[in-house]
């Protein structure tokens, strides 16, 4: 699955066969933040969208073949911009965290009738990415602070340890864990600039 451009104000969520072929439309989305699918044998897929007035964060189910399903959850906010979210591998829980906070607060919202709860990674501000780890035992979370950008592993009690850090830049870090839990791809944006002195112009 991938996001593709569409008419102004919308984006298209497309599917492409793993062995190549013609892209096919799954559905149109409005202000999509991201999308995730649970791991087999679970089958739930969700897309995270911001409402047109920017005051609601919507979590909507979809089927990769049939398209849009029902809205699973709506989070009201003075501004819905700046959320990170991920679906647990067993599709039972949504993890949601708001950006630009002084500590990382991860809300665990049950989709199976259980209790909601929240964990806090103290001392790590400005979450930039949120991914469940393999087996649902914790999270990979990006953080931007005066110390630079860091990728953390946060367990279900809120204890955080640094897996990777880049000092001197607050450009965001994100990760993609492999389905088998053996590898972790790390992405980071680095901005460089030069100053030139010109004489005699």
């Amino acid at each position: 699955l991938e996001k593709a451009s569409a008419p102004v104000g919308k984006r298209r969520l497309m599917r492409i066969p793993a062995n190549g072929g013609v892209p096919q439309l799954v559905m149109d989305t409005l202000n999509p933040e991201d999308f995730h699918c649970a791991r087999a044998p679970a089958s739930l897929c969700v897309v995270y969208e911001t409402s047109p007035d920017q005051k609601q964060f919507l979590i909507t189910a979809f089927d990769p073949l049939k398209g849009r399903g029902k809205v699973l959850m709506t989070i009201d906010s003075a501004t819905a911009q700046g959320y990170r979210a991920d679906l647990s591998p067993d599709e039972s829980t949504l993890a949601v965290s708001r950006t630009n906070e002084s500590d990382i607060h991860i809300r665990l919202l049950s989709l199976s009738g259980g209790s909601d709860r929240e964990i806090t990674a103290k001392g790590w501000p400005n979450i930039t990415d949120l991914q469940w780890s393999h087996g649902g035992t914790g999270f990979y979370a990006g953080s931007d602070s005066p110390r630079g950008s860091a990728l953390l592993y946060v367990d279900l009690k809120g204890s955080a340890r640094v897996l990777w850090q880049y000092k001197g830049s607050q450009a965001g870090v994100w990760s993609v864990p492999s389905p088998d839990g053996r590898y972790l791809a790390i992405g980071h944006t680095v901005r460089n600039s030069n100053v030139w002195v010109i004489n005699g112009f």
Side-chain angles (χ1 to χ4, degrees):
L1 295 171
E2 67 172 22
K3 287 182 284 188
S5 61
V8 176
K10 293 185 178 181
R11 287 186 181 273
R12 289 175 178 157
L13 187 63
M14 311 291 291
R15 68 175 182 270
I16 302 174
N19 59 354
V22 179
Q24 296 177 311
L25 176 67
V26 176
M27 63 182 184
D28 288 327
T29 64
L30 184 63
N31 301 320
E33 299 285 343
D34 205 349
F35 65 90
H36 290 101
C37 293
R39 296 182 188 138
S43 59
L44 178 65
C45 291
V46 294
V47 61
Y48 315 114
E49 300 171 293
T50 303
S51 63
D53 61 6
Q54 305 292 302
K55 292 184 178 181
Q56 290 184 320
F57 185 68
L58 310 174
I59 298 108
T60 303
F62 73 91
D63 185 292
L65 297 178
K66 299 178 182 179
R68 184 178 295 274
K70 66 179 181 179
V71 176
L72 300 176
M73 198 169 295
T74 300
I75 299 174
D76 294 319
S77 175
T79 172
Q81 296 185 57
Y83 277 98
R84 299 292 179 263
D86 194 20
L87 177 67
S88 63
D90 65 357
E91 73 180 33
S92 69
T93 308
L94 278 166
V96 180
S97 183
R98 187 170 180 175
T99 61
N100 301 318
E101 292 190 320
S102 58
D103 294 312
I104 294 176
H105 300 278
I106 303 173
R107 296 170 61 187
L108 303 180
L109 308 176
S110 176
L111 297 176
S112 59
S115 299
D116 298 340
R117 64 190 182 99
E118 180 176 295
I119 62 176
T120 301
K122 294 183 178 180
W124 295 100
N126 305 322
I127 190 169
T128 60
D129 184 52
L130 182 65
Q131 302 283 337
W132 281 89
S133 66
H134 181 72
T137 58
F139 305 92
Y140 301 110
S143 172
D144 274 352
S145 73
R147 291 169 286 183
S149 296
L151 180 66
L152 312 170
Y153 176 79
V154 182
D155 66 22
L156 295 177
K157 295 181 179 180
S159 178
R161 61 184 172 91
V162 178
L163 300 178
W164 182 88
Q165 192 166 21
Y166 185 88
K167 297 181 179 180
S169 174
Q170 299 181 40
V173 60
W174 64 96
S175 65
V176 181
S178 64
D180 62 6
R182 297 178 59 192
Y183 301 97
L184 183 67
I186 300 172
H188 180 250
T189 301
V190 178
R191 298 189 180 100
N192 294 314
S193 60
N194 296 310
V195 177
W196 299 87
V197 177
I198 303 175
N199 296 318
F201 61 91

